[in-house]
Amino acid sequence: DVSRKEVARMTKIVQRMVSAGILPFMSDHPHKDAIYPELSLLEGIEMREKKIDFLEEKISEYLIQLAQQPLTVDQANEIMGLVSIVSDLESMADIVYRDLLRLMEKKKALGVDFSPEGHTELEQFHLKVVKQLSRLEMAIDETDPEKGLKIMSKMEKYLDLDTQLRTQHLERVRRARPESLKTHEIHMELMDIFKQLNVYAGNIGKVIANWNPGRPI
């Protein structure tokens, strides 16, 4: 279905925004957009945020019109699910555009880098979130409830990882590691952003898992 392909495309765009979002935290080099090198990394994020807003409006309009047609229960369930997914994807793009960009400025102004362990932990958790978005794109494109269930279980696993990584960071703060103390607030806010994105991915996974009416959730 056309609408499902468009929602999968939206997911890919959000994934690119999330992928790019960590780079300014890892090094101070001026970063270019991975697909459009004539754009800076920030311009690429901004361009995609506008695209997501546009797609959210157009796809939602189309789906709501579709929902007014005579439909089977399964069709209605899938259409309403897509409406919910589109809204969640737009919220994820907003988090990257609004919160990550604000935090980039904060980190730049601070002029201090994370500890090597902090770097590794943030990259590790970020990679998990990017992988969730890859799984979402495939699950939506293939209307695959099994993949939806996998995304839900990964979300739970990553929430446990989030707790573990925060504990490790706070232990460094307790030991008064200078760079950990100075970057503590930014480190925790960045973890919060990734955690929110992970929870959104899990919510979308649940919608996809529900597309199979015979499966208990």
Side-chain angles (χ1 to χ4, degrees):
D1 179 57
V2 175
S3 52
R4 204 165 54 237
K5 295 278 180 203
E6 284 296 287
V7 177
R9 187 162 78 96
M10 256 185 105
T11 312
K12 181 74 167 177
I13 296 167
V14 174
Q15 186 204 20
R16 287 196 172 133
M17 290 174 76
V18 174
S19 289
I22 197 170
L23 295 174
F25 295 94
M26 297 296 114
S27 80
D28 290 332
H29 301 301
H31 296 280
K32 297 284 179 196
D33 186 82
I35 311 289
Y36 304 104
E38 69 278 12
L39 299 178
S40 71
L41 182 135
L42 296 183
E43 286 167 343
I45 288 175
E46 192 170 320
M47 176 267 290
R48 287 184 180 87
E49 204 267 341
K50 285 178 179 156
K51 198 177 273 188
I52 289 289
D53 281 350
F54 174 79
L55 286 171
E56 192 256 350
E57 189 185 326
K58 296 297 172 198
I59 295 169
S60 296
E61 276 175 16
Y62 173 71
L63 289 169
I64 288 161
Q65 280 175 1
L66 215 56
Q68 290 159 4
Q69 311 300 315
L71 300 166
T72 66
V73 172
D74 286 357
Q75 286 170 331
N77 190 14
E78 188 182 331
I79 288 168
M80 289 295 88
L82 285 170
V83 171
S84 163
I85 290 170
V86 164
S87 172
D88 280 353
L89 287 170
E90 202 254 343
S91 298
M92 290 171 93
D94 272 353
I95 288 169
V96 176
Y97 181 64
R98 184 190 61 228
D99 298 341
L100 259 188
L101 263 56
R102 175 185 53 78
L103 213 52
M104 283 174 198
E105 289 305 315
K106 204 170 173 179
K107 168 88 168 46
K108 203 171 166 185
L110 192 67
V112 179
D113 209 356
F114 300 113
S115 68
E117 299 95 322
H119 256 274
T120 303
E121 289 163 13
L122 289 165
E123 282 184 310
Q124 184 188 355
F125 198 51
H126 172 260
L127 186 62
K128 303 289 188 197
V129 177
V130 172
K131 279 186 177 169
Q132 281 285 68
L133 281 155
S134 282
R135 289 185 193 109
L136 281 176
E137 186 192 351
M138 285 175 69
I140 293 163
D141 196 33
E142 296 164 17
T143 324
D144 189 338
E146 289 292 335
K147 284 192 172 71
L149 287 171
K150 183 177 181 180
I151 291 159
M152 288 167 69
S153 74
K154 290 284 187 187
M155 179 199 75
E156 294 297 339
K157 196 176 163 187
Y158 298 159
L159 287 175
D160 290 342
L161 177 64
D162 172 69
T163 305
Q164 179 198 323
L165 295 179
R166 283 169 194 265
T167 306
Q168 288 168 201
H169 167 73
L170 290 169
E171 181 55 28
R172 290 193 297 275
V173 170
R174 193 184 66 76
R175 294 199 313 268
R177 282 281 295 275
E179 61 270 63
S180 298
L181 284 168
K182 285 175 185 158
T183 59
H184 168 66
E185 200 181 318
I186 290 172
H187 185 109
M188 294 302 263
E189 282 190 56
L190 203 46
M191 287 296 287
D192 280 341
I193 288 169
F194 296 155
K195 185 179 179 178
Q196 282 180 65
L197 294 170
N198 177 44
V199 170
Y200 268 117
N203 290 345
I204 295 173
K206 188 172 184 176
V207 171
I208 297 164
N210 264 317
W211 279 342
N212 182 341
R215 178 169 295 286
I217 298 299

